[in-house]
Structure formats: structure tokens, C-alpha cells
């Protein structure tokens, strides 16, 4: 990401807040606040709300206003217009599945940390050339998974990634063990039946298990402790 989090945040990068960034699809904005509270209570403060539903912007606004311990971001950002909308709604980071020069410049101009998506070495090199070192690797499993990221760690050690796409609790530790992976994105801690039943206690338990995946690398200092975790 090209700029640090706001000064009120205890870590310089969203990538360092927790080993897993929940990728959240909100169908009903009324679910946003209790869902975010469950994720934060489970140790996952960085929450990516995807712009895939009509409820997404309202969900971002509600989380930003009512869950102060959450670091809410917007995912599936694909146009400059969306950048302005979500920043006005209160997001603290931006995530795109891919990037163009126009989108990249809009994200950079927003003053909000951003994570552009890449799936090829050429895209990574192009971003490094533009001063961007932190990226989303998407779709992670389909684009080559851990073998791909391991292969590019040598020639491109300055790039850091948050792989997202097809990652679950079984494969996440393999990604987190790589030197160029800071965290992973996923939605396995948000099973559809739990969200539909508004079983926030179950989601909190699953979030805690996801947060524990990075225990060996992260230590005790996460967002709630006010420290930098990596």
C-alpha cells in the first residue's frame, strides 16, 4: 500500500493487523455491525466489505460509525468513482481485484491505503515501478497458489502479498509460511448458514480460529494490544 493507515491506527499497514482479512459479502446492512463486532472479538480487525451487493456502502458506513475497533475496507473496487464513494463512507483501506493506471491513480489520490490486485509477474513489476510494494494476489489458488508466490520471492523480494481466492483454513498456513506473504484473505469464517441464522457467536469462534493461524509468526501483539504485529 502506498501510504500508512491513519495515525489513529496502531499498525502502519493493514497487512500487519492480523494473519487473515475476512472478505465479507453483506446482503443486509442490518447485519454489518454485529458481524463486524464478532470478527473483531475473534481477533480479525481488518474487514474487507466487498462492493458486490446494494447493501455494501451502507454496511461500510455502519461499521465505520459503530465499530471503532474495526478497520473497515472496501473490496472489489474497480472504478475511480467507487473510490470516492467508499472513502466518503468511511473506509480505511481499498482492495481491487486488478488495476489500471487510472484506478491506481484514483486510489493513490484518495489518501487511503490501497491493495491493488495482481496475478502475473509483469503486473507485480509494473506496480513496483510505480512505488507500490504491497499487493493482493488474486485469484490465489487459480493463479498458481503457494508454488507461484514461492517462485517469485527470490527475484522480487520487495513485494508483499495478501493472497485471496480459494483459500481456506487448511491451505492458509502454507501461504502464511511464505516470506512474501503478510496475511491472507478469505471468507471461510463466515459460512452462509451462520450469517443467515445471525449466529454471531459461531462466527466469533471461527474468527478466533482463523486469527490463531498466524500465532507463531504474529506473537501476542495485534490490533487490540496496540502493537505492530509483524
Amino acid at each position: 500500500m502506498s501510504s500508512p493507515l491513519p495515525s489513529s491506527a496502531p499498525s502502519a499497514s493493514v497487512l500487519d493487523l492480523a494473519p487473515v482479512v475476512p472478505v465479507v459479502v453483506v446482503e443486509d446492512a442490518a447485519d454489518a455491525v454485529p458481524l463486524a463486532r464478532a470478527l473483531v472479538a475473534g481477533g480479525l480487525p481488518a474487514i474487507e466489505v466487498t462492493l458486490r451487493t446494494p447493501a455494501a456502502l451502507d454496511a461500510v458506513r455502519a461499521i465505520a460509525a459503530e465499530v471503532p475497533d474495526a478497520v473497515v475496507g472496501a473490496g472489489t473496487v474497480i472504478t475511480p468513482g467507487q473510490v470516492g464513494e467508499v472513502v466518503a463512507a468511511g473506509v480505511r483501506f481499498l482492495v481491487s481485484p486488478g488495476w489500471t493506471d487510472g484506478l491506481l491513480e484514483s486510489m493513490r489520490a484518495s489518501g487511503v491505503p490501497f491493495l491493488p490486485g495482481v496475478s502475473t509477474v509483469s503486473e507485480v513489476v509494473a506496480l513496483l515501478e510505480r512505488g507500490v510494494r504491497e499487493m493482493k494476489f488474486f485469484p490465489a489458488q487459480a493463479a498458481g497458489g503457494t508454488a507461484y508466490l514461492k517462485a517469485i520471492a527470490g527475484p522480487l523480494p520487495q513485494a508483499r502479498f495478501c493472497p485471496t481466492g480459494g483459500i481456506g483454513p487448511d491451505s492458509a498456513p502454507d501461504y502464511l509460511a511464505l516470506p512474501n506473504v503478510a496475511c491472507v484473505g478469505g471468507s471461510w469464517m463466515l459460512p452462509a448458514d451462520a450469517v443467515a441464522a445471525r449466529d454471531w457467536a459461531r462466527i466469533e469462534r471461527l474468527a478466533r480460529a482463523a486469527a490463531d493461524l498466524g500465532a507463531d509468526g504474529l506473537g501476542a501483539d495485534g490490533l487490540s494490544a496496540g502493537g505492530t504485529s509483524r
Side-chain angles (χ1 to χ4, degrees):
M1 298 185 189
S2 65
S3 58
L5 285 172
S7 59
S8 59
S11 173
S13 171
V14 170
L15 297 187
D16 295 324
L17 294 178
V20 179
V21 176
V23 179
V24 181
V25 179
V26 179
E27 300 289 350
D28 185 345
D31 292 337
V33 167
L35 188 154
R37 286 174 175 160
L39 292 172
V40 171
L44 302 181
I47 301 170
E48 177 189 335
V49 177
T50 66
L51 301 182
R52 302 179 191 177
T53 69
L57 275 177
D58 286 338
V60 167
R61 291 188 189 99
I63 295 170
E66 300 182 46
V67 192
D69 289 333
V71 178
V72 62
T76 323
V77 176
I78 58 174
T79 70
Q82 288 176 323
V83 172
E85 289 179 336
V86 297
V87 170
V91 298
R92 294 171 65 184
F93 66 96
L94 306 166
V95 184
S96 67
W99 65 278
T100 64
D101 281 322
L103 178 59
L104 189 69
E105 287 311 307
S106 294
M107 292 192 292
R108 194 192 301 272
S110 74
V112 175
F114 56 90
L115 199 61
V118 297
S119 60
T120 70
V121 171
S122 293
E123 290 170 325
V124 175
V125 171
L127 285 177
L128 292 173
E129 186 178 78
R130 290 160 173 78
V132 179
R133 297 180 59 182
E134 297 186 345
M135 313 165 195
K136 171 179 178 172
F137 179 55
F138 176 83
Q141 289 289 88
T146 56
Y148 191 96
L149 289 171
K150 184 176 181 179
I152 67 174
L156 300 171
Q158 62 271 57
R160 298 177 77 213
F161 298 97
C162 175
T164 304
I167 298 174
D170 293 332
S171 58
D174 295 331
Y175 282 95
L176 293 170
L178 297 175
N180 54 350
V181 170
C183 62
V184 301
S187 57
W188 71 86
M189 73 297 299
L190 299 162
D193 58 338
V195 175
R198 294 179 168 83
D199 189 349
W200 311 127
R202 180 183 171 198
I203 289 173
E204 180 180 338
R205 290 194 300 271
L206 291 170
R208 185 170 294 110
D212 287 345
L213 291 175
D216 291 341
L218 288 169
D221 293 329
L223 181 65
S224 62
T228 300
S229 53
R230 285 183 189 263

